[in-house]
Amino acid sequence: MEREGGSSDGFQNGILGNIDLRPRESVLDLTGQIHHLPCCIKHDGPSSVSHYFKPKKTGIEVEVLTIEEACFRGRKLQGTTISLPDGYSGLVLGKKKNPGKRKASEISEANLNCWEIGAKFQSITYWNHDSLPSQDDTFLRCFHWFAVANALHKPITDDDLASYISSSKVKLMGE
Amino acid sequence: MGSDAPKWASEPCIMGIDEAGRGPVLGPMVYGCLYCAASYQKTLPSLNFADSKTLKEEKREEIFESLKSDGSIGWAVDVIDPKELSAKMLKKNKINLNEISHDSAIGLVARVLGMGVLLTEVYVDTVGDAEKYNIKLSERFPGVKFIVSKKADSLYPVVSGASIVAKVTRDRALHDWVLEETVENMHRNFGSGYPGDPETKAWLKHHTHSIFGFPTLVRFSWGTCSPYFKDMVEVLWESDKLGEEESSSCGKRQLKLSSLGFTGCKRRSEEVESSSKGRCMFFQSRKLEQMTHF
């Protein structure tokens, strides 16, 4: 995480590190317990969330979104729970606690910046302060990226290629 | 809650409106009204109404029971949950307590009229400027004469009656309050709820939580809570920051935020926003950014 202000080196290359996505036995399933709040809580650590934070269904539906209600620090929040699309998972990453013993020569930035999966989730509840969730919310619009990413990065199969070629032939013949 | 319209309701009627629990830092605020036929007005003093604050609790309970059984009197209450008070007063567009109070009184008048009671005169204890309040009420209900005054609860028996209805309802609501939070070590010795009450102070102190603040029984928007917030984890809201921007004192705080890596908020900061130069519009408008540091 540390970078000297003047050095552009680290910025261009990013920070070296690695994320271990191998499934582990101790991975928790936090589906239904992930909340995205419209505020910054300057705290990092456990808290007795379920004893204080009590979302309730309102029975209201807006644009197919089921609206829930909760409050936090006196503010009224309106939120909705969305499932992550098939093929995607939400991950909670944590720094690897014990990267093992290493020789001094092997201790590099990459080795110190190791992450692993602490928990997984398949849904997330996001909350707005004072406004009903809607498809126009930035948070939901982020999901558009999945379609774009597929178009850009999904490997092209032989079938894709064949159907593309045949369709362009039809087009040519039509002209 | 309240009673249905009786036969005498088609006669010209008078009504009093008063509130209980406006000052306390916890529990609901209750608006109460009491109405009767104008012809019954002269009987009211014999019921020994007095401003509810000057009566002992048992006496208030006793009077409330007797007026409930009095067929010539009608009453209604509006109980405003502390959660609702906090939420309204902490909205992006804040609604102040006077406005909430006015709306509650207006709601009661509308409800009683809606029941078919022929209200001709309504006596109200003032909230804020009496004249402005009177205009607001009169414009909303052109057929009703409003008498808005200070100390209406001691001047007009019908308002004294309303104050008893409100006070008893508030006391019972607080007495029977079920805390929503399921935390051990919570108790219900709230005291009166007034900020100066030692029992209330002790309760507040004992029920703070570093992340969640207080149980929802507490009115988070009260100045009384501010000193406690200082010892809790800081929570920053977008709506607060917009307010700060107006008073142009946001610079420092946002810088601090972005250096801490609170991503949801740092995007608010202009300095970070400008670094999105060259980022495709698709990503900008979705606040998506490639992370190189985590």
Side-chain angles (χ1 to χ4, degrees):
Chain A
M1 295 282 273
E2 284 176 15
R3 178 165 66 88
E4 277 176 48
S7 145
S8 64
D9 210 39
F11 182 74
Q12 277 167 2
N13 301 327
I15 291 297
L16 289 172
N18 59 61
I19 302 171
D20 185 352
L21 294 179
R22 277 175 302 188
R24 297 184 307 125
E25 270 177 34
S26 58
V27 170
L28 287 169
D29 186 0
L30 292 180
T31 301
Q33 295 175 60
I34 303 286
H35 298 277
H36 183 268
L37 298 189
C39 58
C40 299
I41 304 168
K42 291 198 178 179
H43 176 77
D44 197 2
S47 189
S48 47
V49 177
S50 59
H51 289 302
Y52 278 91
F53 192 70
K54 312 245 181 203
K56 286 188 183 73
K57 296 255 187 294
T58 60
I60 304 169
E61 268 196 28
V62 180
E63 305 163 15
V64 230
L65 302 171
T66 306
I67 309 299
E68 297 163 58
E69 231 176 64
C71 55
F72 180 64
R73 291 262 180 129
R75 264 89 165 170
K76 181 179 165 181
L77 306 177
Q78 290 165 305
T80 192
T81 301
I82 42 176
S83 310
L84 301 182
D86 280 347
Y88 291 88
S89 254
L91 302 176
V92 179
L93 301 179
K95 255 202 167 152
K96 263 192 185 168
K97 284 194 187 84
N98 183 15
K101 282 181 184 173
R102 286 173 205 280
K103 288 176 197 165
S105 61
E106 278 178 32
I107 296 177
S108 68
E109 214 175 1
N111 288 334
L112 290 172
N113 197 18
C114 288
W115 300 74
E116 63 186 359
I117 302 173
K120 280 185 153 192
F121 53 93
Q122 281 308 322
S123 73
I124 185 163
T125 309
Y126 84 95
W127 298 92
N128 288 343
H129 176 210
D130 265 1
S131 61
L132 282 168
S134 106
Q135 303 284 357
D136 293 332
D137 288 333
T138 312
F139 190 81
L140 280 183
R141 280 158 53 86
C142 283
F143 285 70
H144 298 167
W145 166 245
F146 295 140
V148 178
N150 269 343
L152 287 174
H153 301 302
K154 207 175 154 190
I156 298 170
T157 62
D158 290 346
D159 288 349
D160 289 338
L161 212 56
S163 73
Y164 175 75
I165 290 166
S166 64
S167 74
S168 35
K169 264 183 194 160
V170 172
K171 211 171 150 197
L172 279 170
M173 283 161 76
E175 279 168 358
Chain B
M1 240 190 284
S3 40
D4 285 326
K7 277 178 201 157
W8 47 262
S10 51
E11 284 178 47
C13 290
I14 60 161
M15 181 161 95
I17 301 178
D18 199 17
E19 131 290 314
R22 189 179 148 88
V25 61
L26 53 81
M29 177 167 83
V30 176
Y31 260 76
C33 67
L34 185 129
Y35 53 93
C36 64
S39 57
Y40 192 71
Q41 192 174 5
K42 53 186 177 297
T43 319
L44 286 179
S46 67
L47 300 173
N48 292 320
F49 295 166
D51 175 10
S52 66
K53 289 179 198 101
T54 66
L55 294 170
K56 286 210 168 117
E57 193 179 339
E58 303 89 68
K59 188 70 188 161
R60 280 198 302 264
E61 288 278 347
E62 194 187 308
I63 296 176
F64 184 54
E65 290 307 321
S66 73
L67 68 83
K68 274 206 297 195
S69 58
D70 189 330
S72 307
I73 291 174
W75 60 279
V77 288
D78 180 26
V79 180
I80 308 166
D81 196 280
K83 241 203 252 183
E84 190 182 335
L85 290 172
S86 304
K88 285 190 167 161
M89 292 175 76
L90 295 169
K91 265 170 92 95
K92 283 180 186 166
N93 298 313
K94 296 179 171 42
I95 304 176
N96 67 37
L97 193 63
N98 282 1
E99 236 176 304
I100 297 170
S101 302
H102 291 173
D103 289 347
S104 179
I106 287 169
L108 284 174
V109 176
R111 201 200 302 174
V112 173
L113 283 173
M115 275 161 51
V117 179
L118 180 63
L119 292 178
T120 52
E121 282 179 16
V122 175
Y123 297 79
V124 190
D125 207 356
T126 193
V127 168
D129 184 83
E131 207 173 316
K132 281 184 194 157
Y133 190 15
N134 201 330
I135 293 169
K136 190 173 180 179
L137 289 165
S138 303
E139 279 178 353
R140 180 75 168 69
F141 306 101
V144 182
K145 187 188 171 199
F146 286 94
I147 298 94
V148 181
S149 96
K150 272 184 192 168
K151 295 190 176 141
D153 50 353
S154 49
L155 291 173
Y156 309 103
V158 75
V159 182
S160 311
S163 84
I164 289 169
V165 169
K167 180 76 176 140
V168 170
T169 307
R170 147 102 187 162
D171 286 349
R172 288 185 182 176
L174 200 57
H175 182 265
D176 301 334
W177 197 267
V178 180
L179 288 166
E180 219 174 292
E181 293 70 20
T182 43
V183 189
E184 279 176 57
N185 292 325
M186 282 195 169
H187 64 77
R188 296 171 60 263
N189 306 323
F190 322 118
S192 63
Y194 280 97
D197 184 338
E199 209 177 351
T200 299
K201 280 186 190 168
W203 186 88
L204 281 176
K205 200 176 173 208
H206 184 254
H207 289 78
T208 55
H209 186 278
S210 64
I211 306 292
F212 293 94
F214 292 105
T216 52
L217 172 71
V218 175
R219 305 175 185 175
F220 284 71
S221 48
W222 250 239
T224 318
C225 297
S226 307
Y228 297 97
F229 290 143
K230 282 183 192 125
D231 298 327
M232 296 172 191
V233 168
E234 197 180 355
V235 173
L236 300 171
W237 298 81
E238 213 170 277
S239 52
D240 289 353
K241 256 175 281 147
L242 291 173
E244 274 171 35
E245 260 162 48
E246 277 156 25
S247 60
S248 76
S249 64
C250 59
K252 267 186 191 166
R253 170 166 280 183
Q254 288 187 345
L255 215 63
K256 206 165 68 189
L257 260 179
S258 51
S259 67
L260 280 167
F262 285 91
T263 51
C265 280
K266 79 173 178 184
R267 291 168 217 284
R268 279 275 136 194
S269 147
E270 270 186 21
E271 153 212 25
V272 173
E273 205 67 74
S274 67
S275 77
S276 71
K277 235 185 240 171
R279 200 149 43 101
C280 171
M281 195 59 198
F282 177 89
F283 298 115
Q284 273 188 50
S285 67
R286 284 164 186 79
K287 299 194 174 169
L288 283 169
E289 189 181 340
Q290 211 167 10
M291 293 293 291
T292 48
H293 302 78
F294 54 88

